[in-house]
């Protein structure tokens, strides 16, 4: 009887270095838990794979047409299509894709008959609200080759409506590392509100418009541009890969903040999910935009576990911030309920268990 090959867990970059460091584990989307639960998995970084021959103007030309028309990233498709990489992928018992570019490229390779193992894809905003007929047709073709595991209930239902009942789609609950993201062991609090994020759906213009001088000082960690503010706003550089601010430093910002605010533009992607759950795990009240991609609208209840405001509404955002700033006891109660919700429903252990079960089924069916 031959040795069962490992599951290949694909990331873009930066995970291998972090795997060897102490710190939060949610950035691995359940990979860390597979060591305990199985199946055996191997972490692979896309940028460490052999370089494809495509570069320069051919890649730019391919990107210009492949992405808008067929939803494919030319660079990722080329990298995953090299002979050494295809050989390695085809030896795996299964493959987990953690970016949209990877998932769609692997779907295309399976559609072309070049890839054999089952693929579990964690999509995040892969099917936008507005897409032309041709793009929808290609997306349906690529995604129909894969098992889909959205980390948002809302996106799960959205994809089911787009792809139909024949699609293999199952919600995978995202979890925060509640052993790392914990409330402060002391009662020390700062005098500021905290916000963080680098994805393109962060609505810093809305936040700046809402933040008047009569609100508490605001500390903002981002690498994205922020408009000038009339309020007391301090922008701190932050990048996931370069990490000028450590995870421990981010945790301290959460712990000492009066509360956390996460303004998000309307999207089906569960934008702000990790930051929100980290802050809640630290026992902080969170103001969050009620976007279509809100990952669990049954558990994220306005006024009970967080404050929800309409996206793109600076007046509502300012009113929510004022409410928390003027009611510290309510703010503390909200933070306590938030921590309880995360420890009961959104942990890395729960995510790992769900991921392990899904992979075992997928491998048994292949």
């Amino acid at each position: 009887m031959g040795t069962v090959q490992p599951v290949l867990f694909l990331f873009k970059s930066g995970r291998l270095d972090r795997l060897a460091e102490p710190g939060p584990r949610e950035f691995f989307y359940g990979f860390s838990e597979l060591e305990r639960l199985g199946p055996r998995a191997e972490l692979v970084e896309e940028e460490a794979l052999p370089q494809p021959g495509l570069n320069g103007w051919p890649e730019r030309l391919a990107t210009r047409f492949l992405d808008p028309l067929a939803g494919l990233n030319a660079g990722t498709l080329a990298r995953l299509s090299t002979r050494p990489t295809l050989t390695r992928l085809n030896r795996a018992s299964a493959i987990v894709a953690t970016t949209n570019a990877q998932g769609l490229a692997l779907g295309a390779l399976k559609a072309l008959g070049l890839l054999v193992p089952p693929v579990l894809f964690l999509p995040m905003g892969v099917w936008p609200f507005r897409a032309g007929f041709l793009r929808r047709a290609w997306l349906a073709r690529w995604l129909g080759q894969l098992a889909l595991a959205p980390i948002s209930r809302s996106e799960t239902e959205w994809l089911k409506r787009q792809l139909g009942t024949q699609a293999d789609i199952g919600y995978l609950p995202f979890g925060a590392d509640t052993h790392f993201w914990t409330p402060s062991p002391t009662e020390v609090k700062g005098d500021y509100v905290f916000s963080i994020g680098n994805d393109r759906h962060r609505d810093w213009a809305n936040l700046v418009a809402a933040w008047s001088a009569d609100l508490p000082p605001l500390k903002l960690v981002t690498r994205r541009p922020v408009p000038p503010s009339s309020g007391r706003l301090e922008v701190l550089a932050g990048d996931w890969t370069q990490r000028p601010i450590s995870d421990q430093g981010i945790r301290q910002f959460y712990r000492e903040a009066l509360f956390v605010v996460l303004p998000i533009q309307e999207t089906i992607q569960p934008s702000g999910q990790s930051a929100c759950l980290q802050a809640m795990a630290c026992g902080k009240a969170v103001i969050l935009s009620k976007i279509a991609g809100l990952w669990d609208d049954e558990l994220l209840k306005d006024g009970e576990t967080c404050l929800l405001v309409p996206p793109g509404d600076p007046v509502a955002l300012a009113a929510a911030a004022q409410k928390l700033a003027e009611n510290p006891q309510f703010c503390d109660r909200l933070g306590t309920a938030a921590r309880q919700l995360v420890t009961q429903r959104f942990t890395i252990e729960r995510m790992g268990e769900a991921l392990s079960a899904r992979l075992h089924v997928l491998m048994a069916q292949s």
Side-chain angles (χ1 to χ4, degrees):
M1 184 174 179
T3 303
V4 176
Q5 295 297 316
V7 172
L8 293 187
F9 219 107
L10 291 180
F11 289 100
K12 184 71 176 176
S13 64
R15 259 62 176 198
L16 280 173
D17 288 342
R18 298 202 72 171
L19 195 61
E21 300 174 358
R25 302 286 97 177
E26 68 265 13
F27 300 106
F28 299 98
Y29 298 114
F31 169 80
S32 300
E33 297 303 299
L34 294 183
E35 184 176 1
R36 173 175 60 89
L37 299 167
R40 186 166 64 93
E42 178 182 335
L43 193 155
V44 178
E45 293 185 348
E46 180 188 329
E47 294 186 358
L49 296 173
Q51 288 281 354
L54 185 65
N55 55 56
W57 69 265
E59 182 174 353
R60 290 194 295 272
L61 185 64
T63 299
R64 180 165 184 173
F65 290 101
L66 276 178
D67 193 6
L69 296 178
L72 295 174
N73 179 284
T76 298
L77 180 61
R79 193 183 290 269
L80 296 179
S81 301
T82 63
R83 182 174 296 179
T85 296
L86 273 176
T87 299
R88 185 179 184 185
L89 293 175
N90 277 317
R91 288 175 180 157
S93 57
I95 303 166
V96 178
T98 60
T99 72
N100 290 345
Q102 291 169 357
L104 293 172
L106 293 172
L109 292 173
K110 286 188 74 69
L112 292 169
L114 299 174
L115 188 66
V116 176
V119 176
L120 184 65
F121 170 36
L122 280 58
M124 297 175 213
V126 70
W127 194 298
F129 287 128
R130 296 177 182 86
F133 172 79
L134 187 59
R135 186 178 177 90
R136 291 199 305 271
W138 285 117
L139 286 174
R141 178 161 173 73
W142 311 144
L143 294 174
Q145 308 294 319
L146 313 172
L148 306 180
I151 58 174
S152 157
R153 289 191 188 277
S154 300
E155 188 165 10
T156 300
E157 296 307 313
W158 170 253
L159 287 172
K160 286 180 179 179
R161 290 195 294 271
Q162 306 309 313
L163 296 172
T165 56
Q166 76 282 0
D168 184 358
I169 306 174
Y171 169 58
L172 180 69
F174 182 75
D177 187 343
T178 54
H179 307 288
F180 180 86
W181 305 107
T182 58
S184 175
T186 71
E187 297 298 320
V188 176
K189 275 188 183 178
D191 63 348
Y192 62 87
V193 176
F194 186 57
S195 190
I196 187 171
N198 286 316
D199 77 60
R200 62 190 177 91
H201 296 295
R202 284 298 195 279
D203 196 350
W204 298 140
N206 182 32
L207 181 62
V208 165
W211 218 259
S212 60
D214 60 336
L215 287 170
L218 176 66
K219 292 183 185 290
L220 171 56
V221 173
T222 187
R223 66 168 183 268
R224 301 187 70 83
V226 179
S229 171
S230 60
R232 294 172 290 174
L233 171 61
E234 180 183 4
V235 179
L236 305 168
D239 184 277
W240 191 90
T241 54
Q242 297 178 3
R243 287 180 290 154
I245 304 174
S246 68
D247 295 320
Q248 290 76 10
I250 296 297
R251 180 176 60 188
Q252 199 63 22
F253 279 128
Y254 283 136
R255 285 175 167 179
E256 295 185 359
L258 298 171
F259 54 89
V260 172
V261 57
L262 298 170
I264 314 293
Q265 297 172 351
E266 184 62 283
T267 176
I268 194 62
Q269 179 178 333
S271 179
Q273 185 177 26
S274 59
C276 181
L277 292 178
Q278 290 164 4
M280 293 172 79
C282 289
K284 289 298 161 179
V286 176
I287 301 173
L288 180 67
S289 300
K290 191 177 182 180
I291 56 172
L294 195 69
W295 54 97
D296 197 316
D297 56 8
E298 294 181 2
L299 296 177
L300 293 170
K301 296 181 179 179
D302 181 42
E304 296 183 26
T305 55
C306 61
L307 288 185
L308 298 173
V309 297
D313 188 338
V315 175
L317 183 57
Q322 197 73 49
K323 182 176 182 178
L324 291 182
E326 293 177 351
N327 296 274
Q329 290 183 333
F330 171 65
C331 191
D332 289 343
R333 288 200 305 273
L334 210 60
T336 299
R339 167 74 184 177
Q340 184 177 24
L341 172 64
V342 176
T343 56
Q344 291 178 351
R345 303 299 294 269
F346 296 111
T347 65
I348 55 172
E349 288 82 9
R350 285 177 65 92
M351 185 176 192
E353 289 164 2
L355 175 67
S356 174
R358 187 78 183 277
L359 284 171
H360 279 300
V361 170
L362 200 61
M363 292 163 61
Q365 293 173 341
S366 64

